[in-house]
Amino acid sequence: MTNGTNSLGLEAGRRDEVVGVVTGAYADAADDGEVQRVMEGVVAAQEGALRARGLLLEGWRYLNYADGSQDPIAGYGREVGERLRGVSRAYDPEGVFQEQVPGGFKLFT
């Protein structure tokens, strides 16, 4: 049951969102930069096509698929970010998940 909200900032009841992930596999670490450049180009092309059709949720990133160059929490919007930070303060006042757990995207930067 929901009160019409969710932690991702998505409109309740919508059924037309699609989430995609781009993954690359290659053998030589020397190719990291080129692979990253190509993958960013694929994402930019996808976003451009969606934007042109008015379908892009601008700035929104699914947290589990975002990479270090992206800021998925900012993409959820100011109001959602503040709500998530409030929940964090209420249920994790010592900041364990924000300061002591390595990796991931943090609510307080």
Side-chain angles (χ1 to χ4, degrees):
M1 187 63 133
T2 179
N3 65 358
T5 63
N6 63 69
S7 62
L8 302 180
L10 298 173
E11 181 183 324
R14 282 189 64 167
R15 301 281 189 251
D16 57 353
E17 281 92 8
V18 175
V19 176
V21 63
V22 177
T23 303
Y26 54 103
D28 190 344
D31 295 331
D32 285 356
E34 179 67 9
V35 171
Q36 183 69 29
R37 185 189 68 73
V38 169
M39 291 174 68
E40 288 173 359
V42 169
V43 171
Q46 290 172 334
E47 288 179 345
L50 291 168
R51 186 177 292 113
R53 291 166 179 79
L55 300 172
L56 181 65
L57 297 175
E58 201 68 53
W60 194 91
R61 297 284 183 273
Y62 179 56
L63 189 97
N64 288 4
Y65 293 170
D67 70 25
S69 72
Q70 300 167 327
D71 185 357
I73 294 169
Y76 297 161
R78 188 188 57 76
E79 184 178 319
V80 171
E82 285 302 316
R83 183 167 32 88
L84 292 173
R85 285 185 279 282
V87 169
S88 177
R89 284 192 223 42
Y91 293 97
D92 183 24
E94 302 299 317
V96 171
F97 290 100
Q98 298 303 309
E99 299 172 17
Q100 298 177 29
V101 175
F105 296 96
K106 306 302 182 194
L107 294 169
F108 304 95
T109 56

